[in-house]
Amino acid sequence: MNKIYNLLTVPGTIDKIFVNWGCIIMIDYNNCIVNLACSVLKFFGAEYTHDTLKEVDELLKYDYKNVVVILLDGLGYDAMQYHLPEDSFFNMHLIKKYYSVFPPTTTSATTSLASGLTPAEHGWLGWNLYFSEIDKIVCAFTNTANGKVAADYHVAGRYIPYVSIYEKIKNAGIADAYSVSLYGSNRIETFDGMIEEIKRLCNTPGRKYVYGYWESPDDLMHKFGCYHKLVTDNINTIEAKIENMCRELSDTLVIVTADHGHINVQNYYTLTDYPEIISMLERPISVEPRATAFYLKNEYLEVFPEKFQKYFGDDFLLLPKEEIIERKLFGPGKMHPKFEEFIGDYMAIAVKDKGIVYSDDSVRFVSHHAGLTEKEMVIPLIAICKK
């Protein structure tokens, strides 16, 4: 296994690595969604701790009244190129392709955009995280564990809090900030409702940052796969509505991006089918099916890599905790105090079209994300200037 580890590039580069599995692509943490957040913070005179995106900084020199960032869940660069014609509105306004974060999944990426921090710093690493404080694996967003409410308080909110981009902008004192989504400060129920609320906010006095989040096409891709006609229709409809919205705005920079891309998953390994592996575990797996944390009994720490390689080695890169920390896979910056606990003793990271689930009851999506492939990692940066 050490031979495989040494093939990895130092994070911060965009080199591709070709090993037994094919193409692995590392996040460039100087050219990712964290840097987009830092450009926004810089523009509004707020504190930021990472590099900014020079292309966005250049656009913001026009000193817009409104900056709008719309995040379309799952609209990776691969999906945009497949589902939209070359002369589409989004393609005509594409500034460049850049990166999500690791793992490329909604929990980690949207939190990075909402904080200006890397996943290593903010701690919201994936969908399910182990909290020793209550000895439960908890869904960070929904605050559930095994389908039930995890606690009478929001567990992730208590143990991995962060200062949001909205608070930072408001504290800087020169602008206001809003989140328009199903769960934001300005709550909406439909995509049309999001569009109307963004327009309304942009037409009110004063400088402001407006973030709009919508759950498609991610929800459709999970159910039908990356390249289904329903996904094509959905993306084209969303694009048309954003184009119409932009026509009605003035003195506004609109940025459209995504949190991650998608890949069709051909098979999920169910760990309960591998009793030899199950017997080594201290507790069930966590984080994501394509970026999976393993917690091992002490007596199996040394032999686990060999056993894992026997069953799953062709489809996953297995990294020990120490290697993950050394390589800064989850990004640079000061590690959150709970980071080491969240990544377990080893992490299995998908490099092909497979996933890992714990049991037959686990959810299996037709298409998924959070692995180390280009389709999952690379996202579009689209900008529409209305000055």
Side-chain angles (χ1 to χ4, degrees):
M1 292 296 291
N2 286 333
K3 226 165 129 187
I4 297 172
Y5 302 157
N6 292 336
L7 289 171
L8 294 178
T9 60
V10 177
T13 73
I14 55 173
D15 298 333
K16 294 178 183 177
I17 316 151
F18 291 89
V19 290
N20 292 335
W21 312 281
C23 177
I24 301 174
I25 186 166
M26 301 299 286
I27 293 289
D28 179 359
Y29 281 102
N30 295 314
N31 184 32
C32 72
I33 202 166
V34 176
N35 311 113
L36 170 59
C38 289
S39 283
V40 171
L41 288 166
K42 177 183 178 182
F43 176 71
F44 288 112
E47 179 186 355
Y48 62 98
T49 55
H50 295 283
D51 288 343
T52 59
L53 289 178
K54 63 180 182 180
E55 296 87 352
V56 176
D57 293 343
E58 195 66 30
L59 292 171
L60 288 171
K61 286 181 179 179
Y62 291 98
D63 198 28
Y64 293 94
K65 173 192 166 191
N66 308 308
V67 176
V68 175
V69 174
I70 297 176
L71 189 144
L72 301 175
D73 199 324
L75 186 69
Y77 180 76
D78 173 70
M80 197 180 93
Q81 296 306 300
Y82 179 86
H83 295 286
L84 294 174
E86 287 185 14
D87 61 351
S88 68
F89 181 73
F90 283 172
N91 274 314
M92 295 298 287
H93 289 86
L94 179 69
I95 300 298
K96 67 173 183 177
K97 52 184 181 179
Y98 71 137
Y99 293 87
S100 176
V101 291
F102 183 82
T105 191
T106 302
T107 308
S108 58
T110 59
T111 306
S112 286
L113 183 57
S115 65
L117 303 174
T118 67
E121 294 172 309
H122 59 63
W124 294 64
L125 305 188
W127 194 248
N128 294 300
L129 302 172
Y130 173 69
F131 289 87
S132 59
E133 294 84 355
I134 60 172
D135 193 27
K136 290 180 181 178
I137 294 172
V138 178
C139 178
F141 278 172
T142 65
N143 200 41
T144 55
N146 292 321
K148 300 177 182 178
V149 176
D152 59 2
Y153 56 90
H154 196 279
V155 176
R158 174 176 292 189
Y159 296 116
I160 45 175
Y162 60 90
V163 180
S164 74
I165 190 172
Y166 317 105
E167 295 171 85
K168 291 176 182 178
I169 289 172
K170 289 177 182 178
N171 290 340
I174 63 173
D176 215 331
Y178 306 89
S179 171
V180 183
S181 73
L182 294 166
Y183 318 102
S185 62
N186 296 49
R187 297 196 175 190
I188 47 87
E189 298 295 331
T190 64
F191 186 77
D192 288 342
M194 186 186 78
I195 293 291
E196 291 305 314
E197 181 63 7
I198 291 173
K199 289 194 296 184
R200 186 191 72 79
L201 287 169
C202 288
N203 287 326
T204 59
R207 299 180 71 190
K208 64 192 72 69
Y209 170 63
V210 181
Y211 169 67
Y213 165 85
W214 189 244
E215 60 188 355
S216 296
D218 177 83
D219 53 351
L220 293 172
M221 288 179 165
H222 279 314
K223 187 174 182 179
F224 300 106
C226 297
Y227 308 119
H228 197 278
K229 184 180 183 301
L230 287 175
V231 177
T232 303
D233 293 343
N234 176 258
I235 292 173
N236 278 270
T237 298
I238 286 174
E239 180 194 50
K241 291 182 177 183
I242 290 177
E243 181 177 5
N244 288 334
M245 179 196 76
C246 290
R247 289 198 186 102
E248 299 181 35
L249 297 177
S250 62
D251 204 4
T252 300
L253 174 65
V254 177
I255 293 172
V256 180
T257 192
D259 47 355
H260 56 75
H262 263 257
I263 186 171
N264 285 336
V265 178
Q266 298 303 317
N267 179 51
Y268 287 90
Y269 294 103
T270 305
L271 288 186
T272 51
D273 292 339
Y274 302 87
E276 187 176 21
I277 296 293
I278 288 289
S279 67
M280 298 181 180
L281 300 183
E282 182 70 28
R283 63 181 58 89
I285 56 177
S286 61
V287 186
E288 294 273 349
R290 290 180 57 78
T292 308
F294 286 83
Y295 298 84
L296 301 173
K297 298 171 183 175
N298 288 335
E299 61 266 34
Y300 296 115
L301 285 170
E302 296 297 324
V303 300
F304 179 74
E306 181 184 347
K307 298 300 182 183
F308 183 91
Q309 185 76 15
K310 172 183 173 182
Y311 295 116
F312 318 117
D314 288 343
D315 296 309
F316 296 88
L317 180 65
L318 185 70
L319 295 178
K321 176 194 301 184
E322 298 77 15
E323 190 80 13
I324 291 169
I325 293 170
E326 179 186 347
R327 297 292 181 181
K328 301 187 187 301
L329 185 60
F330 288 81
K334 183 179 179 181
M335 288 191 311
H336 192 280
K338 291 193 66 62
F339 177 75
E340 289 192 50
E341 176 178 275
F342 287 158
I343 62 175
D345 299 304
Y346 288 88
M347 286 199 77
I349 304 165
V351 294
K352 285 189 177 178
D353 54 359
K354 307 296 191 297
I356 295 175
V357 294
Y358 188 75
S359 67
D360 290 334
D361 296 332
S362 304
V363 175
R364 295 162 174 78
F365 291 129
V366 177
S367 174
H368 219 313
H369 46 81
L372 270 178
T373 71
E374 188 165 351
K375 289 182 179 180
E376 298 161 275
M377 294 279 201
V378 179
I379 56 177
L381 182 70
I382 300 159
I384 303 98
C385 308
K386 300 293 293 185
K387 186 66 178 174

